[in-house]
Amino acid sequence: MEIEQDLVRVSFTLVRFAAFAANALIFGAVPLLMLVLRPAFRTLDAESWRPGRGNLAVRLEGLIRASLVASAVATVLALLLQTSLVSLLDEGDVGLDALEAVLATSFGIWNLIRLPVLGALSVLLYQRVQDVCLSGMAAGERKPGSAWWSLWALLSLTLLATWSFSGHAAVSSPEWAALVNDVVHLAAGSTWFAGIVILAVILPDVWQHKERPDRLRILSEVVSRFSRVALISIVVLAITGTLNSFFNLESPGDLIDSGYGITLTIKIALFLGIVVLGGVNHFYVRKGLRNATEDGSSSDPYALFRKTIATELVLGLLLMGSTGLLVGLDRTRETGTQSAPAVSSGGEWGAGRAA
């Protein structure tokens, strides 16, 4: 029985990580497109870069589709795994009674809310990401309207908010401040994470069949703009993360004396590593790309960029994993309204307050 419980708990953590990372990509693509990619392409000749924009748009379509599917599958699996864990802890059968018990909690309610939101996003984004997200810069191209961007941002932000409303922020005091702070924290982190994934994995498709000067030109524009966005995101993450610590930790000593605190300490260490790499990109790689583009020097900072962005991606995935793990761990700060497990025997793996 203990082995079965441990397997379910590990699976639950992995599923939670997959859902959270996918939700982050869906939201983070919006600010990245609007603040980085589209402005970068506007500085270039629209017609000559049409194939590159098309390649990038196709890959973005695939990434968003995969994220939508992963979010839906992970959400359903999380509900089933939580139901299975509840049944194991109560030594009962996995049936409708256990499922109803899970769905009666904030965890169950907010997970269910994700499914219609994901459905609405699927209808809104299907083929549109590929067709128009990077278009409208040359004659004859459709340009996405502000309503489309607004709906994408609002629906994807709702996905992120479901984590806050079903997690520790919903039982903090004052609740409204904790919820707002947590949603802002998740939005900033998602913007940075999506940017790292897209720059590391998808951006190279842009300069297929292009010469070195063209590659450096688009890379310089993208890195320069993303560097500023990432800097703002990191500052917001640092501020909101510090506030989250006040909401969830009883004392600084909990950082090394509790499961929640140790996981948070690991997350902080990963974040500091990301800050260092971000500084390298912002103060060194960005400048090197700009100089190589302007004076045509033989130096190629792209090699360093690939190493730093790949390392940031690994650290980002670990950071997402620690964030997903934190959601399922008991915080140490006591408030008037304490988070309760999904059912009475859910322990620290309970999924939130009883509804």
Side-chain angles (χ1 to χ4, degrees):
M1 183 68 70
E2 287 293 330
I3 295 178
E4 292 179 359
Q5 291 180 18
D6 291 340
L7 287 174
V8 171
R9 287 168 174 167
V10 171
S11 300
F12 190 68
T13 300
L14 293 175
V15 166
R16 196 191 296 268
F17 160 73
F20 187 71
N23 290 175
L25 288 172
I26 295 169
F27 173 83
V30 179
L32 189 75
L33 281 163
M34 298 187 71
L35 301 176
V36 177
L37 295 178
R38 289 184 63 87
F41 277 111
R42 286 196 189 99
T43 65
L44 307 172
D45 178 66
E47 198 59 45
S48 65
W49 283 92
R50 189 195 292 264
R53 286 187 289 121
N55 292 338
L56 182 58
V58 170
R59 292 293 301 277
L60 282 171
E61 173 83 24
L63 178 67
I64 297 301
R65 285 191 191 181
S67 297
L68 289 167
V69 172
S71 295
V73 171
T75 296
V76 173
L77 286 176
L79 288 169
L80 294 177
L81 286 169
Q82 183 66 23
T83 300
S84 177
L85 182 57
V86 167
S87 301
L88 287 171
L89 292 170
D90 286 344
E91 298 182 354
D93 295 327
V94 179
L96 289 178
D97 290 342
L99 179 59
E100 289 176 357
V102 171
L103 295 179
T105 66
S106 62
F107 168 83
I109 293 170
W110 288 105
N111 268 259
L112 281 180
I113 288 174
R114 282 181 204 152
L115 296 177
V117 174
L118 288 168
L121 278 166
S122 298
V123 173
L124 178 71
L125 300 179
Y126 181 74
Q127 288 292 350
R128 294 277 291 174
V129 174
Q130 176 177 322
D131 292 342
V132 300
C133 74
L134 287 170
S135 67
M137 302 177 197
E141 295 181 351
R142 289 186 299 164
K143 183 178 180 180
S146 57
W148 184 73
W149 288 112
S150 299
L151 278 174
W152 185 356
L154 179 61
L155 289 171
S156 55
L157 185 62
T158 301
L159 279 182
L160 294 182
T162 61
W163 293 88
S164 299
F165 279 89
S166 63
H168 298 305
V171 291
S172 298
S173 180
E175 183 177 334
W176 68 269
L179 287 171
V180 170
N181 182 74
D182 199 57
V183 171
V184 172
H185 183 78
L186 296 180
S190 297
T191 300
W192 171 84
F193 179 67
I196 292 298
V197 171
I198 292 173
L199 264 64
V201 179
I202 296 179
L203 187 63
D205 286 349
V206 170
W207 52 70
Q208 288 183 9
H209 312 300
K210 291 284 187 179
E211 299 297 327
R212 176 180 178 274
D214 290 324
R215 182 188 70 187
L216 290 177
R217 187 174 299 112
I218 183 61
L219 188 60
S220 176
E221 287 292 339
V222 171
V223 170
S224 179
R225 294 174 188 278
F226 177 68
S227 180
R228 292 191 289 268
V229 171
L231 179 62
I232 295 172
S233 297
I234 287 174
V235 170
V236 173
L237 282 170
I239 295 172
T240 54
T242 301
L243 290 174
N244 272 339
S245 298
F246 284 115
F247 284 125
N248 296 319
L249 290 177
E250 186 67 31
S251 68
D254 294 336
L255 287 169
I256 58 174
D257 291 335
S258 67
Y260 183 93
I262 292 172
T263 305
L264 181 59
T265 300
I266 294 173
K267 181 181 177 181
I268 292 171
L270 292 170
F271 178 75
L272 292 176
I274 289 168
V275 170
V276 172
L277 290 171
V280 172
N281 280 331
H282 183 78
F283 293 107
Y284 184 76
V285 176
R286 180 173 65 96
K287 183 178 179 181
L289 286 168
R290 181 68 67 185
N291 291 339
T293 301
E294 293 176 350
D295 59 26
S297 64
S298 58
S299 63
D300 191 357
Y302 177 58
L304 177 60
F305 169 75
R306 285 188 302 175
K307 293 177 182 178
T308 57
I309 203 72
T311 306
E312 275 194 78
L313 179 58
V314 172
L315 293 179
L317 290 171
L318 293 173
L319 190 69
M320 283 290 174
S322 64
T323 300
L325 184 59
L326 279 174
V327 177
L329 292 173
D330 277 345
R331 64 187 193 151
T332 62
R333 187 174 181 82
E334 300 289 333
T335 61
T337 305
Q338 283 302 304
S339 57
V343 292
S344 58
S345 56
E348 69 176 59
W349 291 90
R353 297 175 301 170

PDB file of all heavy atoms in Angstrom, residues 315-348:
ATOM      1  N   LEU A 315      17.667  25.188 -16.210  1.00  0.00           N
ATOM      2  CA  LEU A 315      17.337  25.756 -14.900  1.00  0.00           C
ATOM      3  C   LEU A 315      15.859  26.142 -14.826  1.00  0.00           C
ATOM      4  O   LEU A 315      15.215  25.983 -13.789  1.00  0.00           O
ATOM      5  CB  LEU A 315      18.205  26.973 -14.610  1.00  0.00           C
ATOM      6  CG  LEU A 315      19.706  26.717 -14.405  1.00  0.00           C
ATOM      7  CD1 LEU A 315      20.429  28.031 -14.153  1.00  0.00           C
ATOM      8  CD2 LEU A 315      19.943  25.747 -13.248  1.00  0.00           C
ATOM      9  N   GLY A 316      15.322  26.647 -15.953  1.00  0.00           N
ATOM     10  CA  GLY A 316      13.911  27.013 -15.985  1.00  0.00           C
ATOM     11  C   GLY A 316      12.999  25.820 -15.802  1.00  0.00           C
ATOM     12  O   GLY A 316      11.988  25.897 -15.092  1.00  0.00           O
ATOM     13  N   LEU A 317      13.343  24.698 -16.422  1.00  0.00           N
ATOM     14  CA  LEU A 317      12.538  23.486 -16.256  1.00  0.00           C
ATOM     15  C   LEU A 317      12.601  22.990 -14.814  1.00  0.00           C
ATOM     16  O   LEU A 317      11.587  22.556 -14.254  1.00  0.00           O
ATOM     17  CB  LEU A 317      13.031  22.400 -17.214  1.00  0.00           C
ATOM     18  CG  LEU A 317      12.751  22.646 -18.701  1.00  0.00           C
ATOM     19  CD1 LEU A 317      13.479  21.624 -19.564  1.00  0.00           C
ATOM     20  CD2 LEU A 317      11.245  22.599 -18.979  1.00  0.00           C
ATOM     21  N   LEU A 318      13.787  23.047 -14.218  1.00  0.00           N
ATOM     22  CA  LEU A 318      13.912  22.662 -12.811  1.00  0.00           C
ATOM     23  C   LEU A 318      13.127  23.601 -11.912  1.00  0.00           C
ATOM     24  O   LEU A 318      12.501  23.183 -10.929  1.00  0.00           O
ATOM     25  CB  LEU A 318      15.386  22.650 -12.402  1.00  0.00           C
ATOM     26  CG  LEU A 318      16.258  21.574 -13.064  1.00  0.00           C
ATOM     27  CD1 LEU A 318      17.726  21.782 -12.691  1.00  0.00           C
ATOM     28  CD2 LEU A 318      15.801  20.175 -12.657  1.00  0.00           C
ATOM     29  N   LEU A 319      13.144  24.897 -12.262  1.00  0.00           N
ATOM     30  CA  LEU A 319      12.393  25.881 -11.489  1.00  0.00           C
ATOM     31  C   LEU A 319      10.899  25.606 -11.587  1.00  0.00           C
ATOM     32  O   LEU A 319      10.168  25.688 -10.588  1.00  0.00           O
ATOM     33  CB  LEU A 319      12.708  27.286 -12.007  1.00  0.00           C
ATOM     34  CG  LEU A 319      12.190  28.454 -11.174  1.00  0.00           C
ATOM     35  CD1 LEU A 319      12.936  28.545  -9.857  1.00  0.00           C
ATOM     36  CD2 LEU A 319      12.339  29.755 -11.947  1.00  0.00           C
ATOM     37  N   MET A 320      10.414  25.265 -12.786  1.00  0.00           N
ATOM     38  CA  MET A 320       9.009  24.926 -12.955  1.00  0.00           C
ATOM     39  C   MET A 320       8.654  23.679 -12.143  1.00  0.00           C
ATOM     40  O   MET A 320       7.580  23.585 -11.545  1.00  0.00           O
ATOM     41  CB  MET A 320       8.702  24.691 -14.435  1.00  0.00           C
ATOM     42  CG  MET A 320       8.579  25.950 -15.239  1.00  0.00           C
ATOM     43  SD  MET A 320       7.104  26.867 -14.804  1.00  0.00           S
ATOM     44  CE  MET A 320       7.332  28.346 -15.775  1.00  0.00           C
ATOM     45  N   GLY A 321       9.577  22.708 -12.141  1.00  0.00           N
ATOM     46  CA  GLY A 321       9.329  21.501 -11.367  1.00  0.00           C
ATOM     47  C   GLY A 321       9.221  21.787  -9.878  1.00  0.00           C
ATOM     48  O   GLY A 321       8.336  21.258  -9.199  1.00  0.00           O
ATOM     49  N   SER A 322      10.089  22.655  -9.371  1.00  0.00           N
ATOM     50  CA  SER A 322      10.030  23.005  -7.944  1.00  0.00           C
ATOM     51  C   SER A 322       8.764  23.788  -7.627  1.00  0.00           C
ATOM     52  O   SER A 322       8.175  23.627  -6.558  1.00  0.00           O
ATOM     53  CB  SER A 322      11.270  23.808  -7.547  1.00  0.00           C
ATOM     54  OG  SER A 322      11.319  25.048  -8.220  1.00  0.00           O
ATOM     55  N   THR A 323       8.312  24.630  -8.577  1.00  0.00           N
ATOM     56  CA  THR A 323       7.074  25.375  -8.370  1.00  0.00           C
ATOM     57  C   THR A 323       5.885  24.436  -8.303  1.00  0.00           C
ATOM     58  O   THR A 323       5.002  24.565  -7.444  1.00  0.00           O
ATOM     59  CB  THR A 323       6.868  26.390  -9.506  1.00  0.00           C
ATOM     60  OG1 THR A 323       7.976  27.298  -9.532  1.00  0.00           O
ATOM     61  CG2 THR A 323       5.586  27.184  -9.304  1.00  0.00           C
ATOM     62  N   GLY A 324       5.848  23.466  -9.225  1.00  0.00           N
ATOM     63  CA  GLY A 324       4.773  22.492  -9.190  1.00  0.00           C
ATOM     64  C   GLY A 324       4.773  21.675  -7.910  1.00  0.00           C
ATOM     65  O   GLY A 324       3.714  21.332  -7.376  1.00  0.00           O
ATOM     66  N   LEU A 325       5.972  21.386  -7.397  1.00  0.00           N
ATOM     67  CA  LEU A 325       6.068  20.625  -6.150  1.00  0.00           C
ATOM     68  C   LEU A 325       5.596  21.446  -4.958  1.00  0.00           C
ATOM     69  O   LEU A 325       4.927  20.932  -4.052  1.00  0.00           O
ATOM     70  CB  LEU A 325       7.512  20.168  -5.938  1.00  0.00           C
ATOM     71  CG  LEU A 325       7.799  19.278  -4.724  1.00  0.00           C
ATOM     72  CD1 LEU A 325       6.973  18.004  -4.789  1.00  0.00           C
ATOM     73  CD2 LEU A 325       9.279  18.942  -4.655  1.00  0.00           C
ATOM     74  N   LEU A 326       5.909  22.741  -4.959  1.00  0.00           N
ATOM     75  CA  LEU A 326       5.511  23.613  -3.852  1.00  0.00           C
ATOM     76  C   LEU A 326       4.005  23.653  -3.674  1.00  0.00           C
ATOM     77  O   LEU A 326       3.500  23.739  -2.548  1.00  0.00           O
ATOM     78  CB  LEU A 326       6.039  25.030  -4.079  1.00  0.00           C
ATOM     79  CG  LEU A 326       7.494  25.307  -3.708  1.00  0.00           C
ATOM     80  CD1 LEU A 326       7.887  26.710  -4.134  1.00  0.00           C
ATOM     81  CD2 LEU A 326       7.717  25.128  -2.215  1.00  0.00           C
ATOM     82  N   VAL A 327       3.280  23.621  -4.804  1.00  0.00           N
ATOM     83  CA  VAL A 327       1.817  23.702  -4.735  1.00  0.00           C
ATOM     84  C   VAL A 327       1.242  22.561  -3.911  1.00  0.00           C
ATOM     85  O   VAL A 327       0.227  22.729  -3.223  1.00  0.00           O
ATOM     86  CB  VAL A 327       1.226  23.692  -6.160  1.00  0.00           C
ATOM     87  CG1 VAL A 327      -0.297  23.694  -6.112  1.00  0.00           C
ATOM     88  CG2 VAL A 327       1.716  24.895  -6.939  1.00  0.00           C
ATOM     89  N   GLY A 328       1.897  21.403  -3.938  1.00  0.00           N
ATOM     90  CA  GLY A 328       1.363  20.244  -3.234  1.00  0.00           C
ATOM     91  C   GLY A 328       1.923  20.032  -1.840  1.00  0.00           C
ATOM     92  O   GLY A 328       1.586  19.048  -1.186  1.00  0.00           O
ATOM     93  N   LEU A 329       2.781  20.939  -1.364  1.00  0.00           N
ATOM     94  CA  LEU A 329       3.372  20.785  -0.040  1.00  0.00           C
ATOM     95  C   LEU A 329       2.701  21.717   0.961  1.00  0.00           C
ATOM     96  O   LEU A 329       2.257  22.812   0.617  1.00  0.00           O
ATOM     97  CB  LEU A 329       4.875  21.097  -0.091  1.00  0.00           C
ATOM     98  CG  LEU A 329       5.753  20.112  -0.874  1.00  0.00           C
ATOM     99  CD1 LEU A 329       7.167  20.647  -0.968  1.00  0.00           C
ATOM    100  CD2 LEU A 329       5.737  18.728  -0.231  1.00  0.00           C
ATOM    101  N   ASP A 330       2.661  21.291   2.220  1.00  0.00           N
ATOM    102  CA  ASP A 330       2.093  22.123   3.281  1.00  0.00           C
ATOM    103  C   ASP A 330       3.022  23.286   3.589  1.00  0.00           C
ATOM    104  O   ASP A 330       4.207  23.104   3.873  1.00  0.00           O
ATOM    105  CB  ASP A 330       1.900  21.288   4.557  1.00  0.00           C
ATOM    106  CG  ASP A 330       0.610  20.499   4.519  1.00  0.00           C
ATOM    107  OD1 ASP A 330      -0.245  20.807   3.671  1.00  0.00           O
ATOM    108  OD2 ASP A 330       0.480  19.569   5.334  1.00  0.00           O
ATOM    109  N   ARG A 331       2.491  24.498   3.544  1.00  0.00           N
ATOM    110  CA  ARG A 331       3.261  25.649   3.976  1.00  0.00           C
ATOM    111  C   ARG A 331       3.347  25.657   5.493  1.00  0.00           C
ATOM    112  O   ARG A 331       2.659  24.884   6.175  1.00  0.00           O
ATOM    113  CB  ARG A 331       2.607  26.933   3.464  1.00  0.00           C
ATOM    114  CG  ARG A 331       1.230  27.159   4.042  1.00  0.00           C
ATOM    115  CD  ARG A 331       0.544  28.333   3.399  1.00  0.00           C
ATOM    116  NE  ARG A 331      -0.627  28.715   4.179  1.00  0.00           N
ATOM    117  CZ  ARG A 331      -1.098  29.934   4.240  1.00  0.00           C
ATOM    118  NH1 ARG A 331      -0.511  30.902   3.580  1.00  0.00           N
ATOM    119  NH2 ARG A 331      -2.166  30.206   4.964  1.00  0.00           N
ATOM    120  N   THR A 332       4.174  26.530   6.046  1.00  0.00           N
ATOM    121  CA  THR A 332       4.380  26.506   7.495  1.00  0.00           C
ATOM    122  C   THR A 332       3.653  27.631   8.224  1.00  0.00           C
ATOM    123  O   THR A 332       3.538  27.592   9.439  1.00  0.00           O
ATOM    124  CB  THR A 332       5.883  26.614   7.819  1.00  0.00           C
ATOM    125  OG1 THR A 332       6.396  27.864   7.337  1.00  0.00           O
ATOM    126  CG2 THR A 332       6.651  25.482   7.168  1.00  0.00           C
ATOM    127  N   ARG A 333       3.194  28.636   7.492  1.00  0.00           N
ATOM    128  CA  ARG A 333       2.533  29.769   8.133  1.00  0.00           C
ATOM    129  C   ARG A 333       1.094  29.414   8.481  1.00  0.00           C
ATOM    130  O   ARG A 333       0.339  28.913   7.658  1.00  0.00           O
ATOM    131  CB  ARG A 333       2.549  30.999   7.227  1.00  0.00           C
ATOM    132  CG  ARG A 333       2.021  32.258   7.917  1.00  0.00           C
ATOM    133  CD  ARG A 333       2.201  33.471   7.015  1.00  0.00           C
ATOM    134  NE  ARG A 333       1.728  34.693   7.656  1.00  0.00           N
ATOM    135  CZ  ARG A 333       2.413  35.416   8.517  1.00  0.00           C
ATOM    136  NH1 ARG A 333       3.641  35.038   8.840  1.00  0.00           N
ATOM    137  NH2 ARG A 333       1.923  36.504   9.066  1.00  0.00           N
ATOM    138  N   GLU A 334       0.718  29.688   9.717  1.00  0.00           N
ATOM    139  CA  GLU A 334      -0.640  29.426  10.176  1.00  0.00           C
ATOM    140  C   GLU A 334      -1.493  30.677   9.999  1.00  0.00           C
ATOM    141  O   GLU A 334      -1.048  31.786  10.278  1.00  0.00           O
ATOM    142  CB  GLU A 334      -0.636  29.047  11.669  1.00  0.00           C
ATOM    143  CG  GLU A 334       0.179  27.814  11.981  1.00  0.00           C
ATOM    144  CD  GLU A 334      -0.464  26.553  11.475  1.00  0.00           C
ATOM    145  OE1 GLU A 334      -1.720  26.546  11.351  1.00  0.00           O
ATOM    146  OE2 GLU A 334       0.252  25.585  11.177  1.00  0.00           O
ATOM    147  N   THR A 335      -2.723  30.469   9.503  1.00  0.00           N
ATOM    148  CA  THR A 335      -3.670  31.580   9.382  1.00  0.00           C
ATOM    149  C   THR A 335      -5.002  31.140   9.956  1.00  0.00           C
ATOM    150  O   THR A 335      -5.196  29.988  10.314  1.00  0.00           O
ATOM    151  CB  THR A 335      -3.871  31.995   7.916  1.00  0.00           C
ATOM    152  OG1 THR A 335      -4.409  30.878   7.190  1.00  0.00           O
ATOM    153  CG2 THR A 335      -2.567  32.422   7.281  1.00  0.00           C
ATOM    154  N   GLY A 336      -5.913  32.072  10.002  1.00  0.00           N
ATOM    155  CA  GLY A 336      -7.238  31.752  10.549  1.00  0.00           C
ATOM    156  C   GLY A 336      -7.969  30.717   9.741  1.00  0.00           C
ATOM    157  O   GLY A 336      -8.746  29.936  10.249  1.00  0.00           O
ATOM    158  N   THR A 337      -7.706  30.699   8.414  1.00  0.00           N
ATOM    159  CA  THR A 337      -8.327  29.715   7.521  1.00  0.00           C
ATOM    160  C   THR A 337      -7.230  28.859   6.950  1.00  0.00           C
ATOM    161  O   THR A 337      -6.482  29.300   6.089  1.00  0.00           O
ATOM    162  CB  THR A 337      -9.085  30.412   6.380  1.00  0.00           C
ATOM    163  OG1 THR A 337     -10.014  31.318   6.951  1.00  0.00           O
ATOM    164  CG2 THR A 337      -9.806  29.401   5.532  1.00  0.00           C
ATOM    165  N   GLN A 338      -7.088  27.661   7.418  1.00  0.00           N
ATOM    166  CA  GLN A 338      -6.004  26.799   6.987  1.00  0.00           C
ATOM    167  C   GLN A 338      -6.412  25.973   5.786  1.00  0.00           C
ATOM    168  O   GLN A 338      -7.551  25.603   5.619  1.00  0.00           O
ATOM    169  CB  GLN A 338      -5.595  25.844   8.129  1.00  0.00           C
ATOM    170  CG  GLN A 338      -4.763  26.516   9.175  1.00  0.00           C
ATOM    171  CD  GLN A 338      -3.507  27.112   8.604  1.00  0.00           C
ATOM    172  OE1 GLN A 338      -2.713  26.435   7.987  1.00  0.00           O
ATOM    173  NE2 GLN A 338      -3.324  28.413   8.774  1.00  0.00           N
ATOM    174  N   SER A 339      -5.396  25.696   4.951  1.00  0.00           N
ATOM    175  CA  SER A 339      -5.661  24.835   3.807  1.00  0.00           C
ATOM    176  C   SER A 339      -5.924  23.435   4.302  1.00  0.00           C
ATOM    177  O   SER A 339      -5.259  22.917   5.185  1.00  0.00           O
ATOM    178  CB  SER A 339      -4.460  24.840   2.857  1.00  0.00           C
ATOM    179  OG  SER A 339      -3.300  24.435   3.524  1.00  0.00           O
ATOM    180  N   ALA A 340      -6.918  22.808   3.725  1.00  0.00           N
ATOM    181  CA  ALA A 340      -7.285  21.454   4.111  1.00  0.00           C
ATOM    182  C   ALA A 340      -7.018  20.519   2.959  1.00  0.00           C
ATOM    183  O   ALA A 340      -7.016  20.906   1.814  1.00  0.00           O
ATOM    184  CB  ALA A 340      -8.772  21.405   4.473  1.00  0.00           C
ATOM    185  N   PRO A 341      -6.728  19.252   3.249  1.00  0.00           N
ATOM    186  CA  PRO A 341      -6.531  18.311   2.174  1.00  0.00           C
ATOM    187  C   PRO A 341      -7.821  18.090   1.410  1.00  0.00           C
ATOM    188  O   PRO A 341      -8.888  18.492   1.831  1.00  0.00           O
ATOM    189  CB  PRO A 341      -6.085  17.034   2.902  1.00  0.00           C
ATOM    190  CG  PRO A 341      -6.623  17.192   4.276  1.00  0.00           C
ATOM    191  CD  PRO A 341      -6.614  18.654   4.573  1.00  0.00           C
ATOM    192  N   ALA A 342      -7.694  17.418   0.279  1.00  0.00           N
ATOM    193  CA  ALA A 342      -8.867  17.188  -0.556  1.00  0.00           C
ATOM    194  C   ALA A 342      -9.938  16.452   0.220  1.00  0.00           C
ATOM    195  O   ALA A 342     -11.127  16.680   0.064  1.00  0.00           O
ATOM    196  CB  ALA A 342      -8.470  16.383  -1.794  1.00  0.00           C
ATOM    197  N   VAL A 343      -9.525  15.530   1.052  1.00  0.00           N
ATOM    198  CA  VAL A 343     -10.418  14.889   2.000  1.00  0.00           C
ATOM    199  C   VAL A 343      -9.682  14.819   3.315  1.00  0.00           C
ATOM    200  O   VAL A 343      -8.529  15.201   3.417  1.00  0.00           O
ATOM    201  CB  VAL A 343     -10.818  13.459   1.534  1.00  0.00           C
ATOM    202  CG1 VAL A 343     -11.684  13.535   0.310  1.00  0.00           C
ATOM    203  CG2 VAL A 343      -9.606  12.610   1.276  1.00  0.00           C
ATOM    204  N   SER A 344     -10.319  14.317   4.323  1.00  0.00           N
ATOM    205  CA  SER A 344      -9.728  14.372   5.658  1.00  0.00           C
ATOM    206  C   SER A 344      -8.406  13.643   5.760  1.00  0.00           C
ATOM    207  O   SER A 344      -7.570  13.988   6.574  1.00  0.00           O
ATOM    208  CB  SER A 344     -10.711  13.763   6.672  1.00  0.00           C
ATOM    209  OG  SER A 344     -11.020  12.428   6.320  1.00  0.00           O
ATOM    210  N   SER A 345      -8.182  12.659   4.917  1.00  0.00           N
ATOM    211  CA  SER A 345      -6.950  11.885   5.026  1.00  0.00           C
ATOM    212  C   SER A 345      -5.939  12.233   3.949  1.00  0.00           C
ATOM    213  O   SER A 345      -4.993  11.518   3.725  1.00  0.00           O
ATOM    214  CB  SER A 345      -7.269  10.392   4.940  1.00  0.00           C
ATOM    215  OG  SER A 345      -7.969  10.114   3.742  1.00  0.00           O
ATOM    216  N   GLY A 346      -6.116  13.387   3.310  1.00  0.00           N
ATOM    217  CA  GLY A 346      -5.253  13.731   2.185  1.00  0.00           C
ATOM    218  C   GLY A 346      -3.853  14.129   2.591  1.00  0.00           C
ATOM    219  O   GLY A 346      -2.953  14.114   1.775  1.00  0.00           O
ATOM    220  N   GLY A 347      -3.649  14.530   3.832  1.00  0.00           N
ATOM    221  CA  GLY A 347      -2.316  14.914   4.274  1.00  0.00           C
ATOM    222  C   GLY A 347      -1.758  16.032   3.437  1.00  0.00           C
ATOM    223  O   GLY A 347      -2.468  16.843   2.891  1.00  0.00           O
ATOM    224  N   GLU A 348      -0.429  16.105   3.332  1.00  0.00           N
ATOM    225  CA  GLU A 348       0.199  17.188   2.618  1.00  0.00           C
ATOM    226  C   GLU A 348      -0.018  17.086   1.120  1.00  0.00           C
ATOM    227  O   GLU A 348       0.274  18.023   0.389  1.00  0.00           O
ATOM    228  CB  GLU A 348       1.695  17.224   2.915  1.00  0.00           C
ATOM    229  CG  GLU A 348       2.458  16.057   2.326  1.00  0.00           C
ATOM    230  CD  GLU A 348       3.933  16.195   2.570  1.00  0.00           C
ATOM    231  OE1 GLU A 348       4.325  16.272   3.733  1.00  0.00           O
ATOM    232  OE2 GLU A 348       4.694  16.223   1.594  1.00  0.00           O
TER     233      GLU A 348
END
